[in-house]
Amino acid sequence: MDYVTIIGLAAAALGGLSLFPQLLKVLKTKSTKDLSIGMFIIFCISIFLWLFYGILSNDAPIIIANFFGFIEAVIILFFKIKYK
Amino acid sequence: MDYVTIIGLAAAALGGLSLFPQLLKVLKTKSTKDLSIGMFIIFCISIFLWLFYGILSNDAPIIIANFFGFIEAVIILFFKIKYK
C-alpha cells in the first residue's frame, strides 16, 4: 500500500469518526440549538454525492469515510429537526 | 468533462459551502455550547489530510472542497474555544 493511500485511509477513518462526538453530545444533551440546520442539510447532500463519487471512481477511502459520515449526519439532522 | 467529475465537483462545492451556515450562526449568536469540540478537532485533522490526499492524487474536487472546508472548520474551532 503506497503512502498516498495510507493518508487517504487515515483521512477517511477520521472523517467517519468526526461526527461521532457530535452525535454523542446531541444524544446526551438533547440540545441542538447552536447547530446550523443549513450545515447538516448541505452536509448530508454533499456526503451522499461524495459516496456516489467514491463508488463511481472505485475509491475505497472516499466510500468508507462517506458511508459512515452519511449515517451520522442523517441522525444528527433528525435530532436537529426533532429538538429544534 | 465526464459525469463522475461533475458529481465530484458538485460534492466539493457543497462540502465547501456546508460549514458556511454554521460559521454564520456562530458569528451571529456567539454561542457554541451545543457544538462538539471533539467533532471540530477531528474534522480539522481529517480535512487537512483530505487536502493533502487531494494534492498528492492531483484530484481537483477534493482539493477545492477541503481547502475551503479547512478554513471554515478552523474558524469555527477557534470560536468554539473562545466562547466555550
Side-chain angles (χ1 to χ4, degrees), chain B residues 21-41:
Chain B
Q22 183 66 65
L23 181 59
L24 287 182
K25 192 177 179 84
V26 168
L27 291 173
K28 189 179 168 188
T29 64
K30 300 201 171 13
S31 175
T32 58
K33 183 176 62 69
D34 297 331
L35 299 182
S36 162
I37 192 166
M39 171 181 170
F40 282 93
I41 289 172

Side-chain angles (χ1 to χ4, degrees), chain A residues 4 7-8 11 14-15 18-19 21-22 25 31-36 39 42-43 45-46 49 53 56-57 59, chain B residues 4 7-8 11 14-15 18-19 21-22 25 31-36 39 42-43 45-46 49 52-53 56-57 59:
Chain A
V4 178
I7 290 168
L14 290 174
S18 72
L19 286 166
Q22 183 66 65
K25 193 177 179 81
S31 174
T32 57
K33 182 175 63 68
D34 296 331
L35 299 182
S36 161
M39 170 181 171
I42 300 172
F43 209 47
I45 299 168
S46 171
L49 289 176
Y53 177 83
L56 294 172
S57 306
D59 190 319
Chain B
V4 178
I7 291 168
L14 291 174
S18 72
L19 286 166
Q22 183 66 65
K25 192 177 179 84
S31 175
T32 58
K33 183 176 62 69
D34 297 331
L35 299 182
S36 162
M39 171 181 170
I42 301 171
F43 209 47
I45 299 168
S46 171
L49 289 176
F52 201 43
Y53 177 83
L56 293 171
S57 306
D59 190 320

Side-chain angles (χ1 to χ4, degrees), chain B:
Chain B
M1 194 186 294
D2 67 288
Y3 75 100
V4 178
T5 306
I6 291 168
I7 291 168
L9 285 169
L14 291 174
L17 279 172
S18 72
L19 286 166
F20 194 64
Q22 183 66 65
L23 181 59
L24 287 182
K25 192 177 179 84
V26 168
L27 291 173
K28 189 179 168 188
T29 64
K30 300 201 171 13
S31 175
T32 58
K33 183 176 62 69
D34 297 331
L35 299 182
S36 162
I37 192 166
M39 171 181 170
F40 282 93
I41 289 172
I42 301 171
F43 209 47
C44 283
I45 299 168
S46 171
I47 291 176
F48 182 79
L49 289 176
W50 274 127
L51 182 60
F52 201 43
Y53 177 83
I55 291 166
L56 293 171
S57 306
N58 203 22
D59 190 320
I62 294 178
I63 294 170
I64 295 164
N66 292 291
F67 175 76
F68 290 105
F70 184 69
I71 292 170
E72 291 166 333
V74 166
I75 296 172
I76 294 170
L77 181 60
F78 170 80
F79 284 115
K80 172 63 189 173
I81 293 166
K82 188 179 174 189
Y83 295 144
K84 79 176 173 185

